[in-house]
Amino acid sequence: MPTPVGQRPSRRTPLRRAVLGAGLAGVLAAGLLTSTAAPVAAGTTAPTAAPTAAAPNISVANVRAHLSQFQSIAAANGGNRAHGRPGYKASIDYVKGKLDAAGFTTSLQQFTANGAVGYNLIADWPGGDTNRVIMAGAHLDSVGSGPGINDNGSGSAAVLETALAVAREGYRPDRHLRFAWWGAEELGLVGSRHYVNNLSSTNRSRIAAYLNFDMIASPNAGYFVYDDDPAIEKVFKDWFAARGVPTEIETEGDGRSDHAPFKNVGVPVGGLFTGAGRIKTSAQAQKWGGTAGRSFDPCYHSSCDTTANLNDTALDRNSDALAHGVWTLSSGAATPSSGSSGSSGRTSGNTADVSTPVGTRPRGLAF
Ligand SMILES: [Zn+2]
């Protein structure tokens, strides 16, 4: 990895600076320079813009620890963490407990689906401009047939650990940060749709970006970046490129995860994904490793989607990329293309999709 820009030694070492200063003074005296910039006094450097805070490394061991908790919760509750089952509520309680202890303002939003109560967990980090909210989210429910550790304990745990890193660092971003854990995604994006449907148009327009993380540690991993908002896409692609990791645009999950309700009302969205049932090609195996001719996650929606069904390298990289996206967008270092400022100029988009009543979407559409 190249040395990060901020840590490179200044090319102007003291010796060089003295030589330059002397040369510069000579030239100035000759009146040859016409720059409009204030003349730089000999021996000093031009003031540079305050560097934006870089995201910390996200500890994959900590992310793994959350995943072990989700596994134990499933084991203690009939083998799953599905909507309407005790394993889901126990998962919510675990995540909420961590966030409350870290200083987040948390709220539980209830909804009903398939005759059972579901919950969305929303966590706001105090401070930042609430007219430009940066959101990162993941669904916390599993399917009924397994503990859902890659789908989607991986995204839920990485979003949680990033939120805890925000608190640990005492991060004070320009833009307001909000994290979300959605319920009943496996029933057809029910929780996130409920959240978006129940936002006033003003509050919807205050969301400057929504980042989604659904399946980010598939055992036969690929590196897919959502290609919805170009600026968000670039933030993630550049991060991977800087580490020599090739990426592809995400197509398998188009519209099949919790970013869809946000996108449908015009909120700029982005996210990361490592593949589900699709088969890895030999070209993909060439660049990413793993096994060609095998699906990215052979345990997708199955009882074997346990803590043994994870690719730690993918989990580590995607957790760090996630944090980088959160820090970059909330510090203002990057601005989503299609929605920068609060309310003006953004249409509420196509709501037809959003108001599809719960339970009519065929099952299995969601990830
Ligand atoms: Zn999923």
Side-chain angles (χ1 to χ4, degrees):
M1 189 159 63
T3 313
V5 175
Q7 292 161 20
R8 276 201 202 110
S10 150
R11 270 175 291 179
R12 293 214 178 127
T13 58
L15 173 60
R16 274 192 73 171
R17 203 174 285 141
V19 172
L20 269 178
L24 191 63
V27 171
L28 277 175
L32 292 176
L33 278 180
T34 57
S35 110
T36 53
V40 178
T44 62
T45 52
T48 53
T52 49
N57 174 62
I58 300 298
S59 150
V60 72
N62 289 0
V63 178
R64 268 277 189 176
H66 300 313
L67 290 163
S68 301
Q69 288 291 332
F70 293 149
Q71 175 86 55
S72 312
I73 286 170
N77 293 286
N80 69 65
R81 300 176 308 104
H83 166 72
R85 310 281 185 85
Y88 180 72
K89 186 61 173 61
S91 302
I92 281 272
D93 294 342
Y94 171 75
V95 175
K96 186 175 186 301
K98 289 278 178 191
L99 295 163
D100 288 336
F104 279 84
T105 307
T106 61
S107 58
L108 276 184
Q109 183 184 45
Q110 283 194 16
F111 59 88
T112 305
N114 282 13
V117 175
Y119 304 90
N120 292 327
L121 171 61
I122 309 297
D124 284 87
W125 180 240
D129 178 359
T130 52
N131 285 314
R132 293 180 300 165
V133 177
I134 304 297
M135 280 190 81
H139 76 86
L140 188 56
D141 64 314
S142 74
V143 290
S145 49
I149 298 302
N150 183 36
D151 186 12
N152 184 33
S154 61
S156 296
V159 171
L160 173 59
E161 191 53 30
T162 299
L164 296 177
V166 166
R168 219 175 285 133
E169 303 273 319
Y171 182 42
R172 294 277 165 241
D174 289 354
R175 297 169 177 171
H176 183 77
L177 267 177
R178 181 176 299 150
F179 298 92
W181 291 263
W182 309 114
E185 186 270 357
E186 299 290 3
L187 297 188
L189 322 181
V190 176
S192 56
R193 190 185 305 284
H194 179 83
Y195 177 78
V196 171
N197 273 356
N198 286 280
L199 280 175
S200 67
S201 61
T202 306
N203 283 334
R204 256 186 216 170
S205 66
R206 286 185 172 132
I207 302 174
Y210 171 71
L211 308 178
N212 196 56
F213 304 93
D214 191 351
M215 303 181 69
I216 59 165
S218 301
N220 192 25
Y223 292 89
F224 301 99
V225 176
Y226 292 23
D227 67 329
D228 301 280
D229 181 86
I232 299 175
E233 180 188 353
K234 185 173 169 9
V235 168
F236 287 127
K237 276 195 163 162
D238 289 356
W239 187 89
F240 281 103
R243 288 153 186 80
V245 180
T247 56
E248 289 181 13
I249 58 165
E250 201 289 303
T251 55
E252 185 180 2
D254 252 354
R256 290 178 58 192
S257 191
D258 297 299
H259 56 298
F262 289 88
K263 183 176 178 180
N264 287 337
V265 296
V267 172
V269 301
L272 301 172
F273 176 58
T274 51
R278 274 196 186 161
I279 304 297
K280 183 180 266 185
T281 66
S282 49
Q284 288 171 328
Q286 195 108 50
K287 64 180 167 190
W288 289 324
T291 312
R294 197 174 152 83
S295 65
F296 294 104
D297 184 352
C299 288
Y300 175 50
H301 283 184
S302 309
S303 59
C304 60
D305 184 8
T306 66
T307 47
N309 184 48
L310 296 169
N311 178 316
D312 278 314
T313 303
L315 184 63
D316 191 6
R317 286 172 174 168
N318 283 312
S319 299
D320 290 338
L322 189 170
H324 171 71
V326 165
W327 252 259
T328 304
L329 289 162
S330 63
S331 66
T335 295
S337 315
S338 49
S340 56
S341 59
S343 54
S344 62
R346 218 190 307 146
T347 64
S348 61
N350 151 17
T351 57
D353 250 13
V354 173
S355 57
T356 308
V358 171
T360 60
R361 289 179 83 87
R363 282 174 70 87
L365 233 182
F367 266 119

